[in-house]
Amino acid sequence: MIPSDPSERLSLLRRIQEGDLVIVYERHDHMKAVKVIGGSVLQNRFGVFKHSDWIGKPFGSKVFSNKKGFVYLLAPTPELWTLVLSHRTQILYIADISFVVMYLEIVPGCVVLESGTGSGSLTTSLARAVAPMGHVYTFDFHEQRAASAREDFEKTGVNKLITVGVRDIQGEGFPDEHLGQADAVFLDLPQPWLVIPSAGRMLKPDGILCSFSPCIEQVQRSCETLGLKFTDIRTFEILLRTYEVKEVRAELGKGDEGFSFRSPPHKKRQHSTEKGDAVEASGAATVMAKPCSEGRGHTDMGNTMCIHEEFPFAESINAPMLGMTAEGVGRLIRKGQEQVIAERRNIIEKDIFNALWAQLWVYCCKSTDK
Amino acid sequence: MGESNQTSRLTWEGCSVLLDINDGERLVFARLSPAATLKIGKKNFSLQPIVGCPFGSSFRVDNGKDGPYLSRVVPSEEEGGNNVQEEENVTGEELRDNRALVDNNTAQSLTGEDIDEMRRQGATGEQIVEALIANSTTFENKTSFSQEKYRLRKQKKYAPKVLVRRPFVRSICDAYFRKYPARIGCLRSDSLALLLSMANVTAHSDVLVVDMVGGIVTGAVAERLGGTGYVCNMHLGVTPHSLEIVRIFNFNNDTCKRIVRCCLNDLCPGQNGSHVQNENMASDSGNQLDVTEEDVSLEENKTSVDTSNKTGKRDPTTCKAIKAGEVASEELIDSWKEKGFSSLIIAAPEQDVWGILQKLLPHLSYSASFAIYHQYLQVLPSRTHPHMQMSAFGGYILSGTKICTSESGAQ
């Protein structure tokens, strides 16, 4: 997932090999990590897929089952991993993760301490940021969870960048071997204030601490403790608003409304029949995005968060294939005010950007220069 | 790849710093050259005392033999109980209010002359603030919040504080967002963070960037690459986009070498950018070059030249922080033609991003991630959504993964 030298980076020449981890993409909210093993098969509602058919194809390829169903095989990234990993705990999602990594000023070579490890969602992104020569030391007091995290890191190939320790950080603090070594410390614990003094000792001068808490009371209590040794204490609530992308078609004889929304297809089969109809029905169609009205709190997030989303679509579009509806990409980001009517010669599989309002408190601060 | 300048915990001569004056009241990018000064109030202060101090150090104005100078505040002096005590005051029951306050300009008995006299006798800024408080007839009757505000106001004027911050992407982006949001296309640091994640920027990546936001995205990507991979700054027209902000990062030579630029036509000679686009690009980057920062980058340019002339290359990496953005070699371009880029980021707020994306996508590897920043969302007839406003809003980001078409994908 994270190249350890230039030859390992994604390339037009890269092909899927035996032993590679691929993200099997069915739909934006249906993905699965699969290790490619020659004799194995993947069975899902679209049929049976032989791994041996995948070997030698580029990442990003569309592959077919015995029943002509298809999926895409994507190269794993920390973002995709976050969407497919097995949840052993609540996890952090992309908006929080991105912000934490930037605010902690993590760059290649940094040493980062984290507790708890949880499901390793953030840990994987931390590893991406410290690579190739930095290191993430992550701790969880739950032995089994730590072991599962280790297995996951091996599976995704980030294990060289991460050391998972079993330790009750809240009770014992961080181990002394990291004294004054850490560029950044990240805490996701129920009582972070208990660890703050220890975290302060681990940090290099001007190092940064970030603690993640769902409740404002936890934040307040931590801030009181932070005030003794830290400066620049700031609290952030991270909101990510996602948009629902829909196709809108001007339909004749509908009065003032003029538009109707077509609901996203739920089944591929249904979709392909729709395709034919739609081409017949009306040429003028466009794609619009509107903010999802329904906001969901972080803690309710069961499945996905998909502003980072692929929109696979039908084959024969002139534009190069990209992971989204071609028109969707262009029109969505286009500067406003112009009327945009995209010709929809190819009906595209529509998906929805799910809504996420991550209502969590992240607070960051710097250790004082000692 | 050697010790990166960026990870150094101490400032050095010639390094770039972000000076935070009075807790964010003013933010100034500066380069610590021998001649560099900072103007606070009416006086210019040499930045020499900052050289060799840890990032995160704070400074105050002290009176020396040769007049006032910036003097480092050693943390132990002011840390500790201070904050806690303030908290207690704040959380205590408030009995005072402003019912008796009359605004007749007689509350302060110290005159300007008195203060000047105190200064001549060597009083520190803090002492002056204390004297002002002691001589204020209304201070005692202010609420604790109001007292705190008064103290702060006086402190800013008589005892200014200067905090030295590391110019990392976050602090740079935040400072620009506050000072000159338009120059970075109002790109907020959290949006920038999302762009970097969504484009899967990591060491050893070759990242294609269309950066029409002053170089902040280029700098951010280079920071994440840490001297590995490449960030290729693509311009569609003839004029390269300004990379002004890249100079503020303390990138060493290893990293600077990894920042290259290239023209779309170099990558795909058959594909000519439309005329309209060329013109747009040219005029846009022209604008960007015109608006140089008032005291910041002008001063920086001047002083960095001074440094290389006078001090005779103490450290080559620090004197020439400007090498980033050389034209990509043919060899590199050929390798990108063959292998494709591993990520794509577009931050071109004034452009037809769709047009750009169409041209650049063929150069992206399969399954590579892209992320696009834009400020506007489309407005449709009879489905018009408000144009979002800046402050409450971090812009739009669109991201995805390029997939492989069956025709080109089949071996």
Side-chain angles (χ1 to χ4, degrees):
Chain A
M1 181 181 321
I2 299 167
S4 57
D5 66 66
S7 69
E8 289 181 10
R9 80 163 180 86
L10 263 186
S11 148
L12 288 167
L13 308 178
R14 250 310 263 296
R15 294 293 179 266
I16 294 170
Q17 296 167 13
E18 170 92 24
D20 276 345
L21 183 74
V22 296
I23 306 293
V24 175
Y25 177 104
E26 290 178 25
R27 235 176 46 195
H28 75 272
D29 57 354
H30 220 280
M31 285 181 252
K32 190 179 179 189
V34 175
K35 190 166 189 171
V36 180
I37 300 164
S40 299
V41 294
L42 168 75
Q43 208 156 1
N44 64 17
R45 61 207 163 109
F46 302 119
V48 180
F49 296 83
K50 284 199 255 174
H51 288 201
S52 53
D53 292 346
W54 302 351
I55 294 170
K57 288 207 158 68
F59 280 101
S61 293
K62 185 178 188 176
V63 292
F64 293 88
S65 72
N66 59 339
K67 295 192 211 151
K68 299 285 171 226
F70 66 86
V71 293
Y72 290 89
L73 305 177
L74 304 180
T77 66
E79 282 66 43
L80 291 172
W81 181 250
T82 288
L83 301 177
V84 300
L85 56 78
S86 60
H87 287 215
R88 298 175 285 269
T89 55
Q90 293 284 337
I91 65 165
L92 266 72
Y93 289 94
I94 188 167
D96 309 298
I97 291 173
S98 311
F99 189 77
V100 166
V101 171
M102 172 167 285
Y103 213 97
L104 288 178
E105 300 188 340
I106 300 173
V107 295
C110 278
V111 171
V112 181
L113 306 184
E114 180 198 29
S115 183
T117 309
S119 307
S121 170
L122 174 68
T123 323
T124 308
S125 284
L126 293 175
R128 173 174 65 187
V130 302
M133 59 284 188
H135 206 84
V136 181
Y137 296 91
T138 180
F139 300 90
D140 205 296
F141 59 14
H142 193 292
E143 202 152 329
Q144 204 189 342
R145 208 142 63 207
S148 304
R150 264 186 225 117
E151 278 170 32
D152 277 359
F153 299 146
E154 259 165 54
K155 198 166 162 188
T156 53
V158 295
N159 50 318
K160 288 193 198 79
L161 299 163
I162 302 170
T163 304
V164 186
V166 180
R167 187 175 169 103
D168 176 12
I169 295 296
Q170 210 167 269
E172 304 172 58
F174 287 99
D176 284 345
E177 61 185 282
H178 302 299
L179 267 179
Q181 300 294 309
D183 295 279
V185 173
F186 178 83
L187 304 176
D188 183 357
L189 297 167
Q191 294 170 287
W193 54 90
L194 297 175
V195 197
I196 285 167
S198 162
R201 289 192 295 276
M202 301 302 134
L203 283 169
K204 295 177 184 171
D206 206 38
I208 307 170
L209 172 84
C210 173
S211 177
F212 193 84
S213 300
C215 304
I216 189 65
E217 290 82 1
Q218 290 169 301
V219 176
Q220 278 177 328
R221 187 130 183 220
S222 302
C223 285
E224 283 165 24
T225 317
L226 284 166
L228 299 172
K229 260 293 179 204
F230 288 81
T231 63
D232 291 286
I233 301 165
R234 296 180 66 184
T235 306
F236 297 94
E237 182 182 15
I238 299 165
L239 301 175
L240 180 66
R241 184 172 221 190
T242 55
Y243 288 80
E244 192 176 323
V245 177
K246 276 186 175 166
E247 185 185 6
V248 188
R249 286 193 302 147
E251 285 189 6
L252 298 171
K254 285 261 173 152
D256 286 347
E257 288 295 307
F259 289 94
S260 75
F261 291 94
R262 299 174 67 227
S263 61
H266 297 291
K267 285 184 185 153
K268 301 281 169 178
R269 291 299 156 101
Q270 192 186 330
H271 168 59
S272 47
T273 39
E274 255 178 52
K275 179 174 175 174
D277 295 347
V279 175
E280 300 296 310
S282 152
T286 188
V287 171
M288 65 171 292
K290 67 170 186 142
C292 293
S293 49
E294 185 197 347
R296 274 193 287 176
H298 186 281
T299 43
D300 292 328
M301 284 304 295
N303 45 4
T304 53
M305 192 197 95
C306 357
I307 192 154
H308 174 79
E309 197 37 63
E310 302 74 30
F311 281 35
F313 60 92
E315 298 84 322
S316 55
I317 199 157
N318 332 345
M321 289 293 278
L322 58 140
M324 252 191 107
T325 62
E327 287 84 356
V329 177
R331 308 310 172 197
L332 177 63
I333 53 190
R334 194 150 189 164
K335 192 172 168 179
Q337 279 166 343
E338 55 190 286
Q339 181 178 338
V340 182
I341 304 285
E343 280 184 33
R344 310 278 298 186
R345 270 161 295 149
N346 305 282
I347 295 305
I348 287 156
E349 180 183 338
K350 293 171 300 295
D351 268 317
I352 290 178
F353 282 139
N354 271 5
L356 174 80
W357 290 81
Q359 286 172 342
L360 269 129
W361 299 89
V362 179
Y363 44 103
C364 301
C365 54
K366 289 201 161 194
S367 67
T368 55
D369 145 38
K370 279 163 274 191
Chain B
M1 60 198 65
E3 168 82 351
S4 155
N5 287 348
Q6 251 210 323
T7 54
S8 169
R9 295 272 154 183
L10 301 179
T11 67
W12 62 94
E13 187 149 315
C15 96
S16 156
V17 292
L18 174 57
L19 302 176
D20 177 336
I21 299 140
N22 286 334
D23 296 320
E25 189 186 37
R26 246 178 95 207
L27 296 167
V28 176
F29 292 107
R31 199 167 280 284
L32 299 183
S33 62
T37 58
L38 171 70
K39 194 166 185 183
I40 307 174
K42 288 173 195 138
K43 292 200 181 66
N44 280 313
F45 293 89
S46 164
L47 295 181
Q48 276 303 293
I50 297 174
V51 175
C53 290
F55 284 105
S57 303
S58 50
F59 290 80
R60 67 177 175 215
V61 174
D62 269 354
N63 287 304
K65 274 176 281 170
D66 311 320
Y69 68 103
L70 289 177
S71 141
R72 188 169 164 210
V73 182
V74 182
S76 53
E77 280 181 34
E78 58 160 20
E79 291 308 319
N82 208 355
N83 290 346
V84 180
Q85 214 178 348
E86 279 169 28
E87 300 259 328
E88 275 169 18
N89 284 344
V90 169
T91 49
E93 283 285 307
E94 188 57 68
L95 300 169
R96 290 159 295 197
D97 58 35
N98 63 359
R99 75 185 72 199
L101 187 71
V102 183
D103 186 11
N104 58 5
N105 232 351
T106 57
Q108 182 56 254
S109 55
L110 278 187
T111 64
E113 287 93 67
D114 293 338
I115 293 169
D116 287 343
E117 181 54 32
M118 281 181 76
R119 280 214 184 99
R120 270 194 292 278
Q121 289 171 9
T124 64
E126 282 81 13
Q127 286 165 339
I128 293 174
V129 173
E130 288 309 318
L132 284 165
I133 289 170
N135 287 286
S136 163
T137 54
T138 50
F139 186 82
E140 274 310 305
N141 295 321
K142 288 175 190 285
T143 67
S144 53
F145 294 107
S146 177
Q147 286 181 347
E148 186 56 28
K149 262 165 78 180
Y150 181 89
R151 186 186 290 274
L152 262 176
R153 210 166 53 234
K154 297 301 173 195
Q155 172 264 314
K156 280 178 183 173
K157 187 163 177 200
Y158 296 101
K161 288 190 290 188
V162 178
L163 182 70
V164 182
R165 292 188 188 276
R166 286 196 293 180
F168 260 55
V169 64
R170 197 230 340 142
S171 50
I172 296 170
C173 189
D174 285 348
Y176 264 86
F177 191 78
R178 278 194 38 203
K179 286 177 73 147
Y180 317 107
R183 290 190 205 169
I184 54 166
C186 300
L187 179 61
R188 220 165 54 186
S189 62
D190 57 323
S191 303
L192 180 54
L194 270 172
L195 282 179
L196 296 171
S197 292
M198 286 169 164
N200 190 28
V201 176
T202 182
H204 300 299
S205 315
D206 288 2
V207 184
L208 181 58
V209 163
V210 179
D211 180 341
M212 297 177 69
V213 287
I216 186 78
V217 171
T218 309
V221 171
E223 189 179 278
R224 290 282 170 101
L225 294 179
T228 69
Y230 282 94
V231 44
C232 176
N233 205 286
M234 165 75 64
H235 50 103
L236 286 91
V238 279
T239 328
H241 308 311
S242 162
L243 290 180
E244 184 190 12
I245 297 172
V246 172
R247 286 184 234 142
I248 296 171
F249 291 80
N250 282 313
F251 289 143
N252 59 11
N253 275 342
D254 286 326
T255 300
C256 288
K257 267 186 279 179
R258 302 300 179 142
I259 303 172
V260 295
R261 66 182 167 84
C262 131
C263 171
L264 179 67
N265 290 340
D266 297 337
L267 203 58
C268 37
Q271 217 175 342
N272 280 320
S274 72
H275 273 299
V276 184
Q277 225 144 13
N278 281 343
E279 279 163 27
N280 280 351
M281 301 279 179
S283 66
D284 189 82
S285 47
N287 285 343
Q288 284 184 331
L289 290 172
D290 286 345
V291 277
T292 23
E293 278 177 66
E294 17 145 89
D295 58 331
V296 178
S297 42
L298 279 176
E299 178 185 350
E300 192 189 300
N301 290 344
K302 234 184 350 200
T303 52
S304 58
V305 172
D306 286 352
T307 321
S308 47
N309 290 345
K310 283 183 194 161
T311 57
K313 310 251 154 87
R314 194 191 69 98
D315 175 355
T317 57
T318 59
C319 301
K320 279 215 156 194
I322 301 153
K323 258 185 65 186
E326 297 279 310
V327 177
S329 67
E330 262 177 57
E331 207 183 340
L332 259 180
I333 291 175
D334 286 344
S335 88
W336 289 327
K337 280 181 190 162
E338 190 190 3
K339 294 178 182 164
F341 289 92
S342 42
S343 305
L344 166 67
I345 300 180
I346 301 175
E350 301 299 319
Q351 299 295 316
D352 167 18
V353 185
W354 172 229
I356 300 177
L357 185 65
Q358 271 183 309
K359 293 197 175 73
L360 297 186
L361 266 171
H363 303 290
L364 204 55
S365 302
Y366 300 121
S367 201
S369 309
F370 64 85
I372 300 156
Y373 168 75
H374 212 268
Q375 271 172 262
Y376 304 98
L377 202 60
Q378 88 175 51
V379 177
L380 287 162
S382 58
R383 296 275 169 190
T384 303
H385 303 289
H387 267 207
M388 309 296 173
Q389 275 155 32
M390 293 308 98
S391 53
F393 160 65
Y396 296 97
I397 293 175
L398 190 82
S399 74
T401 306
K402 181 186 173 184
I403 54 181
C404 177
T405 53
S406 36
E407 54 267 34
S408 59
Q411 273 89 53

